[in-house]
Amino acid sequence: MDNFTFYAPTYFAFGKESEKQIGSLIRRFGGSKVLMVYGGGSIKRNGVYDAVTAAMNEENIPFVELSGIQPNPRSGPVYQGIEICRKEKIDFVLAVGGGSSIDTAKAIAAGAVYDGDFWDYYSKDMTIDRALPVGTVLTIAAAGSEGSPDSVITLEDGMVKRGATGEALRPRFSILNPEFTTTLPAYQTACGITDIMIHVCERYFTNTEDVEITDRLCEGILKSMIEEAPKVIADPADYQARANIMWGGMVAHNNICGVGREQDWASHDIEHELSALYDCAHGAGLAVIAPNWMTYVTEHNVSRMAQFAVRVWGCDMDFAHPERTAQEGIARFRAFLTSIGMPATIRELGGKEEDIPTLVKMLGVADGRQVGGYIKITPEAAEAIYRMAM
Amino acid sequence: MDNFTFYAPTYFAFGKESEKQIGSLIRRFGGSKVLMVYGGGSIKRNGVYDAVTAAMNEENIPFVELSGIQPNPRSGPVYQGIEICRKEKIDFVLAVGGGSSIDTAKAIAAGAVYDGDFWDYYSKDMTIDRALPVGTVLTIAAAGSEGSPDSVITLEDGMVKRGATGEALRPRFSILNPEFTTTLPAYQTACGITDIMIHVCERYFTNTEDVEITDRLCEGILKSMIEEAPKVIADPADYQARANIMWGGMVAHNNICGVGREQDWASHDIEHELSALYDCAHGAGLAVIAPNWMTYVTEHNVSRMAQFAVRVWGCDMDFAHPERTAQEGIARFRAFLTSIGMPATIRELGGKEEDIPTLVKMLGVADGRQVGGYIKITPEAAEAIYRMAM
C-alpha cells in the first residue's frame, strides 16, 4: 500500500426531503449570496427547481441563476458564471444537476477567485487550492462530482476536454435525494451506472500490491451496482435501487476505495475524446471503451483480471487456464452493459473507422501526454483500443 | 435505505513518516499550544514518542503532556486533562495511542469548553457539539476512534462505562503510520482485529431493508480482515498487512459502511460490562460475546445470518436448510477468532457463573436502558447471552 492523504470534508444530506436543509447548509458553509448553476428544463419539469428555490427563499438567501449547462460541459458558461460572480459579489456556488452542472460550478468557483484564465487549471496541471465554496443538489447518479475534488470541462476553442483537481473543489455539502433521480430516462440512468462502475475500475486495476482493503471495497461497490442496476432499469421509480446507486456513485469516486494505490484512468481519457468528438454521453463512451481496454490489458496481469472475474462477476476460477477466467469476466461485463442498454461499439455512437487517427491525435499521447497508470497508453495502444471498440 | 447525514471531515495522513506532517496539521487546524495525551511507556520504547515530539518541536509548537492513560480509560485523567487545558490555555488536544488515549483526549477536549461536568455528556445522552480540536497519532488499529465522533469512558465512581458522541469529536486529523503498530503484541493485535470486525457487524445486522451498497462495503471490510489477520499474527512486522488492517479499522468505524441503516451495538454494550468488571481487553470481550449474540439472534432473521455466512465466510448455501448455513457461518467466525488467539468464554477472562446477575444489572436494561437495535435486549436475553458465553 502506498502512502496517501485522504480528506473528504463534504457534508452529505441523504434521503427524502433532504433538500430542505439547503438554506441552513449554505449559511453554515459561509454563503450569503448564491449562484445557482443548472442545466435545461428537466429540473423545472420534475419539481426539483421549485423545491430548491423554495428552500433558499425560506432562508432569505438571495440567488442568481445560470442555466443551460449542457452534457460535456463547455467553457462558455464557465466564463459567463465567473463574470456573474464578480459582478454580483457571489460568495457561494450551488450546482443543481449531474456532473455537468457540478463540474461547471466548480470551474466557476475556482475561476472567480483566480486572476488568470480559469483554463490554466485545466490545461497546465495546476492544483486548485482556492475557490468559492460549492454546494450541490444531485439529480443524476454518475459522475461522483458531488463528493470529489475533480472537474472536467471542454474548451470550446478546439473542443479540448480536460480535467482539473484540488482540495478547494470538494463540495462543502451535497444534497442526495434519490427521488430527484427517478425521472431520469433509462438510457441516462444506465450511462450513470456505467460511469460509476468505471470510476471503480480505474482504481481497481493497479500495479500496487497488497491493497486488499481497497480491492474489497471496490468489489463491493461493483457488486452492488450489478445487483441494483436491473431493478432500476425495470422500474425507474424504485426508490431503494435509486438510493443504493446514488450513494454508490459517491463512494465510487470520493476516493475512499482508491487510496494507497496507483490508479489507471486510461479508459476515461480514451473515452473523453469520443464525447468530445461525437458529443455522446460519457457513460456510453465508457461502455464502449472500458471492456476493450480490459481485453487489451489482460496479459499485463492475468491474475488481477481473473480476480475481477471471480470476485466481481462470480466466475468459477479456471486454475489451469486463468486467462480463460479473465476473458469470461470481461464477457460477463460486456453482457451486463448490453443488458442495461449500453452500446458496445463506437459506430453506435456515430463514429467511423476513419476517425481513429483523429481520436488518437486528440488523445495527445504522441505529444507526450501521459495516459494510463496500469499500462502506459502509447499511440499504438490507443489505436488498437479504438479499433477494437469500432 | 433510511435518510441520513454523513460528515467525516478528518484529514488522514497515512503511511511511513506521515508523522512528519503533525506540526503543519496542528497549525492548519488552529492549534498553537497542545496537550499531548498518551498511555504508558510503549511509545517511549518504540520511538513513537520521539518522532511525535520531534515533529512538534520542529514547528516550535509548545506542548504539555498527560500520560498514563490505561486501557478502558477512566474519568480520573479526563478531569486532570481538563484542568491542565484550562490552566495552560491549551487550544489543541493530540492523542498518541489507541482508542483509550483518543477517547480520553476527546473527553478532555469536550470537557475543557463545557461549564458542567464532562460526565453529563456520557450519562445524559447529550450530543457533543463543542470541543477543542483533536488530532490523533494512531498506534493500535482497533477502536476506529481516529475517524469517529465517539468516545467511551469509564466513570471511576461505580465503574460505569458509557459512550458519548458528537460532530465536534471527529478528529481534525489522524496520522496513520502502520509502522507504529508493528511492536504491538499478537494478543492485542488480535483484539484490535476483533474490535474492527465487530464494528462492522454492529452495522451489518440491521432490520433496514434494501441496503445493498452498505452491506457490500461491510462484507468487503470483513473479508479483508479475514485475509490480513493471519498474516500479521504470523509476522507482526508485515507492513502491508498492518497497513490494510489500519485503514480497515478506520473505514469500519467512520460510518461510511453504516449510513442509511438501523444499527445494533448490543454486542458492544453487553461486552462493556465485561471489561468494566474484569478489566479485560475490549476486543477479547467482544470475541466472547459477539458469536453468542449471533447464535441468540439467528432466528430473528435466518436469511441475514445465512448471507453473512455465504458472503463473508464463503459457506455454501444450504437452500433447503438456511439455518444450517447460518450456524456454519457463526462456527467459522468462532474458529477464526480462536485461530488468532482470542478467548471463547467469559471464564477465560476471569469471570464466573455467579457474576451473571451482576453483569445483567450493570447493563441496565432492567432499568429501562435501551440496548440493541437488531433485537431489543431484555434482561432475559442478556442473561441468556452471558450464560452462553460463560
Side-chain angles (χ1 to χ4, degrees), chain A residues 270-275 277-278 346 351-364 382 386 390:
Chain A
I270 294 170
E271 188 293 314
H272 280 165
E273 310 314 337
L274 297 186
S275 43
L277 194 63
Y278 310 122
I346 294 176
K352 43 194 189 314
E353 197 94 21
E354 307 90 273
D355 300 339
I356 291 177
T358 310
L359 289 164
V360 173
K361 190 170 170 10
M362 286 167 69
L363 188 62
Y386 282 127
M390 194 47 73

Side-chain angles (χ1 to χ4, degrees), chain B residues 159-371:
Chain B
M159 295 307 277
V160 187
K161 190 170 187 176
R162 291 289 178 268
T165 191
E167 217 178 74
L169 295 191
R170 290 252 190 206
R172 302 303 171 94
F173 69 79
S174 285
I175 304 287
L176 275 57
N177 181 345
E179 288 181 330
F180 286 2
T181 68
T182 49
T183 55
L184 198 68
Y187 182 77
Q188 279 173 264
T189 301
C191 285
I193 291 165
T194 307
D195 195 14
I196 290 167
M197 293 178 77
I198 306 303
H199 285 162
V200 177
C201 291
E202 301 281 20
R203 294 172 165 96
Y204 191 72
F205 291 100
T206 182
N207 297 311
T208 311
E209 293 183 350
D210 294 314
V211 284
E212 183 69 8
I213 179 71
T214 33
D215 269 8
R216 290 289 187 187
L217 294 175
C218 286
E219 290 157 2
I221 300 166
L222 289 171
K223 283 159 93 151
S224 62
M225 291 305 113
I226 294 165
E227 180 136 342
E228 301 301 321
K231 295 184 199 167
V232 81
I233 299 298
D235 175 11
D238 184 331
Y239 178 86
Q240 298 299 348
R242 291 279 186 190
N244 276 283
I245 293 166
M246 197 169 212
W247 190 240
M250 195 296 286
V251 180
H253 198 48
N254 88 330
N255 212 30
I256 191 99
C257 70
V259 291
R261 52 201 292 152
E262 191 187 18
Q263 303 185 1
D264 186 61
W265 297 99
S267 293
H268 267 71
D269 286 335
I270 294 170
E271 188 293 312
H272 280 166
E273 310 314 336
L274 297 187
S275 43
L277 194 62
Y278 310 122
D279 206 18
C280 62
H282 171 56
L286 285 172
V288 165
I289 293 298
N292 290 297
W293 174 88
M294 288 178 186
T295 300
Y296 189 84
V297 304
T298 298
E299 260 187 18
H300 174 67
N301 187 342
V302 173
S303 302
R304 179 144 283 266
M305 197 60 76
Q307 178 182 316
F308 175 71
V310 171
R311 291 191 183 173
V312 177
W313 295 101
C315 299
D316 276 334
M317 181 67 187
D318 183 338
F319 291 92
H321 307 97
E323 71 285 359
R324 291 187 193 163
T325 308
Q327 286 156 8
E328 174 64 18
I330 300 170
R332 290 198 192 180
F333 185 29
R334 286 181 192 273
F336 169 83
L337 290 169
T338 302
S339 77
I340 62 171
M342 285 290 92
T345 62
I346 294 177
R347 257 175 235 294
E348 291 166 74
L349 301 173
K352 47 193 185 312
E353 198 94 19
E354 307 89 273
D355 300 339
I356 292 178
T358 310
L359 289 164
V360 174
K361 190 169 169 11
M362 285 168 69
L363 188 62
V365 285
D367 309 320
R369 183 173 171 220
Q370 171 80 37
V371 170

Side-chain angles (χ1 to χ4, degrees), chain A residues 1 3-7 12 14-16 28 167 210 212-213 216 220 223-224 227-228 240 244 259, chain B residues 1 3-7 12 14-16 28 167 210 212-213 216 220 223-224 227-228 240 244:
Chain A
M1 196 182 296
N3 287 2
F4 63 87
T5 62
F6 180 72
Y7 185 47
F12 295 98
F14 188 101
K16 292 176 186 174
R28 172 172 178 170
E167 217 179 73
D210 295 313
E212 183 70 8
I213 179 71
R216 291 289 187 185
K223 283 160 94 151
S224 63
E227 179 137 342
E228 300 301 319
Q240 298 299 348
N244 275 283
V259 292
Chain B
M1 198 182 294
N3 287 1
F4 65 86
T5 61
F6 180 72
Y7 185 47
F12 295 98
F14 188 102
K16 292 175 187 175
R28 172 173 176 169
E167 217 178 74
D210 294 314
E212 183 69 8
I213 179 71
R216 290 289 187 187
K223 283 159 93 151
S224 62
E227 180 136 342
E228 301 301 321
Q240 298 299 348
N244 276 283

Side-chain angles (χ1 to χ4, degrees), chain A residues 30-64:
Chain A
S32 62
K33 189 172 183 188
V34 170
L35 177 67
M36 175 174 161
V37 178
Y38 60 97
S42 68
I43 67 164
K44 291 204 171 157
R45 284 192 300 276
N46 64 14
V48 172
Y49 176 89
D50 289 340
V52 169
T53 53
M56 285 197 284
N57 286 331
E58 196 139 313
E59 293 272 333
N60 297 312
I61 295 174
F63 60 92
V64 180

Side-chain angles (χ1 to χ4, degrees), chain A residues 51-370:
Chain A
V52 169
T53 53
M56 285 197 284
N57 286 331
E58 196 139 313
E59 293 272 333
N60 297 312
I61 295 174
F63 60 92
V64 180
E65 299 181 33
L66 175 67
S67 65
I69 309 305
Q70 306 280 335
N72 301 317
R74 300 184 179 187
S75 51
V78 175
Y79 289 114
Q80 228 180 312
I82 291 169
E83 208 181 303
I84 297 173
C85 283
R86 289 176 180 167
K87 206 173 111 191
E88 300 276 347
K89 305 207 182 312
I90 298 290
D91 58 13
F92 197 96
V93 186
L94 179 70
V96 183
S100 301
S101 294
I102 300 173
D103 285 6
T104 302
K106 287 176 174 179
I108 292 170
V113 293
Y114 176 60
D115 285 336
D117 183 346
F118 93 92
W119 189 251
D120 290 349
Y121 286 127
Y122 292 73
S123 56
K124 294 182 185 168
D125 255 347
M126 285 165 59
T127 299
I128 300 181
D129 50 18
R130 254 188 90 226
L132 294 178
V134 173
T136 88
V137 179
L138 191 63
T139 64
I140 306 175
S145 194
E146 67 277 11
S148 87
D150 312 310
S151 163
V152 178
I153 298 288
T154 299
L155 186 71
E156 284 172 17
D157 181 11
M159 295 308 278
V160 187
K161 191 171 188 176
R162 291 289 180 268
T165 193
E167 217 179 73
L169 294 192
R170 290 253 190 204
R172 302 304 170 94
F173 70 80
S174 284
I175 303 286
L176 275 57
N177 181 345
E179 289 182 329
F180 286 2
T181 67
T182 50
T183 56
L184 197 70
Y187 182 76
Q188 279 173 265
T189 301
C191 285
I193 292 165
T194 307
D195 196 14
I196 291 168
M197 292 178 77
I198 307 303
H199 284 162
V200 177
C201 292
E202 302 280 20
R203 294 172 164 96
Y204 191 72
F205 291 99
T206 183
N207 297 312
T208 311
E209 293 182 351
D210 295 313
V211 283
E212 183 70 8
I213 179 71
T214 34
D215 267 9
R216 291 289 187 185
L217 294 175
C218 287
E219 291 158 0
I221 300 166
L222 290 170
K223 283 160 94 151
S224 63
M225 292 304 113
I226 295 166
E227 179 137 342
E228 300 301 319
K231 297 184 198 169
V232 82
I233 298 300
D235 175 11
D238 184 332
Y239 178 86
Q240 298 299 348
R242 291 279 187 190
N244 275 283
I245 292 166
M246 198 169 212
W247 189 241
M250 195 295 287
V251 180
H253 198 47
N254 87 330
N255 213 29
I256 191 100
C257 69
V259 292
R261 49 204 290 154
E262 190 187 19
Q263 304 185 1
D264 185 63
W265 297 98
S267 292
H268 266 71
D269 285 336
I270 294 170
E271 188 293 314
H272 280 165
E273 310 314 337
L274 297 186
S275 43
L277 194 63
Y278 310 122
D279 205 19
C280 61
H282 171 55
L286 286 173
V288 165
I289 294 298
N292 290 298
W293 174 88
M294 288 178 186
T295 301
Y296 189 84
V297 304
T298 298
E299 260 187 17
H300 175 67
N301 186 343
V302 173
S303 301
R304 179 145 282 265
M305 197 60 76
Q307 177 182 317
F308 175 70
V310 171
R311 291 190 183 175
V312 176
W313 296 100
C315 299
D316 277 333
M317 181 67 188
D318 182 339
F319 291 91
H321 307 97
E323 70 286 357
R324 291 187 193 163
T325 309
Q327 286 156 9
E328 173 63 18
I330 300 170
R332 290 197 192 182
F333 184 29
R334 287 182 193 273
F336 168 84
L337 291 168
T338 302
S339 77
I340 62 170
M342 285 291 92
T345 63
I346 294 176
R347 258 176 234 293
E348 292 166 74
L349 302 173
K352 43 194 189 314
E353 197 94 21
E354 307 90 273
D355 300 339
I356 291 177
T358 310
L359 289 164
V360 173
K361 190 170 170 10
M362 286 167 69
L363 188 62
V365 285
D367 308 321
R369 182 173 172 220
Q370 171 80 35

